[in-house]
Amino acid sequence: MGSMVRKANTNASTENWHLLLQVFSCLDGPSLGRATCACKAWREVGVQEDLWQQICRAKWPSLDSNAGSCVVKQAGGYRRLFARRFQAQHAQHRSDEEKPCLSLQSLIFLVDVTVGNEVLCSFVRRGHELSGGEVFQFTVSLCDGEVVGKGREVEKIEALRNVKVSWAVMVMGSDRVFQVMDSIKAGQVIGGGCSFWEALADHRCCCAPGMSQHLAEVGLGLGVNGGLQEVSLALLNTLDWRYFSIAHALTYFQHLFFG
């Protein structure tokens, strides 16, 4: 008798599972995402990749290709890809619509580049010294007092074995500090310099929690004598590989500093 009850319960559970699957297949992405938060049983059904594959390919037909399959694999599956793109889309809209209270002039940038115990450069720049176009990408030409390792050979810097890049941001009138980058990872050598990238701290204004798709970028430009000549600073959106606008970057910093 007990085995018959268990079998009946199993059949009922299987039937409910398939019924939920049919219902969920009629939902759009946001609705399905909310449904998976209702209870454990709904989540077990709602996270099925087949459901999210159907939603993603309907919304973005380009995913139904070899290149699209590679993108899905890199993102960790259709469900994670939808979450990333949906959140990024709405975050971009928020940042475009919301006017940040911070200004570029209110920010202070602190950058240090070292190799072991030797300082290649160390400088502080205020935002008004970096202002230019509408894109958050700046190139800082170094002064004599900011360059220590002028005599280093290019080959040693290009090896990038022990190069450490530290980039922090402060707001004038506040004692808060945000560490944008603190990297000892090898960068990519490009022409007469190299670039370092590090994932930005997650924030709801830019990306879904745990799914950061934005990078901080620091580039090191070398002079003809092998010394460090300039440093570039930027924030990068990896969904479309474009640099943040000034407004988007200021909104991001504003949320990080003041919530």
Side-chain angles (χ1 to χ4, degrees):
M1 183 67 178
S3 61
M4 292 179 63
V5 172
R6 285 194 297 272
K7 184 176 181 180
N9 289 338
T10 300
N11 290 338
S13 298
T14 302
E15 184 177 348
N16 290 338
W17 196 91
H18 285 290
L19 182 61
L20 269 178
L21 192 61
Q22 290 180 9
V23 173
F24 284 175
S25 66
C26 300
L27 300 179
D28 60 16
S31 299
L32 181 57
R34 288 191 292 268
T36 60
C37 299
C39 64
K40 182 179 179 181
W42 282 28
R43 178 173 177 78
E44 289 178 353
V45 179
V47 297
Q48 299 302 309
E49 276 291 281
D50 288 345
L51 290 173
W52 291 100
Q53 177 179 331
Q54 173 183 311
I55 290 172
C56 287
R57 288 189 175 183
K59 188 173 181 64
W60 304 298
S62 61
L63 294 179
D64 189 12
S65 64
N66 291 336
S69 298
C70 293
V71 170
V72 172
K73 183 177 180 181
Q74 181 176 339
Y78 284 99
R79 184 172 67 91
R80 289 178 62 86
L81 178 61
F82 183 89
R84 289 187 179 202
R85 293 195 65 170
F86 179 81
Q87 186 73 20
Q89 176 186 354
H90 286 261
Q92 183 66 49
H93 290 166
R94 284 197 300 272
S95 64
D96 289 341
E97 296 168 0
E98 179 184 357
K99 293 184 178 179
C101 296
L102 282 180
S103 66
L104 186 60
Q105 288 71 24
S106 64
L107 298 182
I108 304 172
F109 300 88
L110 305 91
V111 176
D112 299 277
V113 181
T114 57
V115 176
N117 294 324
E118 181 180 355
V119 179
L120 291 182
C121 78
S122 180
F123 64 83
V124 176
R125 284 286 195 280
R126 292 186 176 181
H128 69 271
E129 299 177 276
L130 304 176
S131 58
E134 297 181 356
V135 178
F136 194 87
Q137 181 189 28
F138 311 103
T139 298
V140 178
S141 297
L142 301 174
C143 305
D144 288 344
E146 297 167 333
V147 182
V148 177
K150 280 190 171 181
R152 290 189 65 87
E153 298 175 2
V154 175
E155 291 78 12
K156 291 183 179 180
I157 295 181
E158 289 183 347
L160 301 176
R161 298 299 182 186
N162 301 308
V163 173
K164 181 174 181 179
V165 178
S166 175
W167 172 17
V169 175
M170 295 184 68
V171 177
M172 292 182 63
S174 171
D175 59 356
R176 297 185 182 183
V177 179
F178 172 58
Q179 189 72 35
V180 182
M181 177 182 289
D182 193 27
S183 177
I184 55 174
K185 299 177 182 178
Q188 179 179 354
V189 177
I190 304 175
C194 56
S195 295
F196 290 78
W197 294 278
E198 191 165 300
L200 288 172
D202 292 339
H203 197 280
R204 61 179 176 79
C205 79
C206 288
C207 45
M211 297 184 180
S212 178
Q213 63 250 345
H214 300 314
L215 301 175
E217 178 186 75
V218 172
L220 308 180
L222 307 176
V224 292
N225 65 345
L228 193 56
Q229 189 172 38
E230 61 183 27
V231 176
S232 62
L233 309 172
L235 301 182
L236 187 67
N237 181 341
T238 63
L239 286 179
D240 53 11
W241 290 103
R242 293 182 180 180
Y243 292 107
F244 277 30
S245 66
I246 295 291
H248 191 184
L250 291 175
T251 300
Y252 174 72
F253 285 127
Q254 179 173 298
H255 282 289
L256 286 171
F257 280 112
F258 306 113

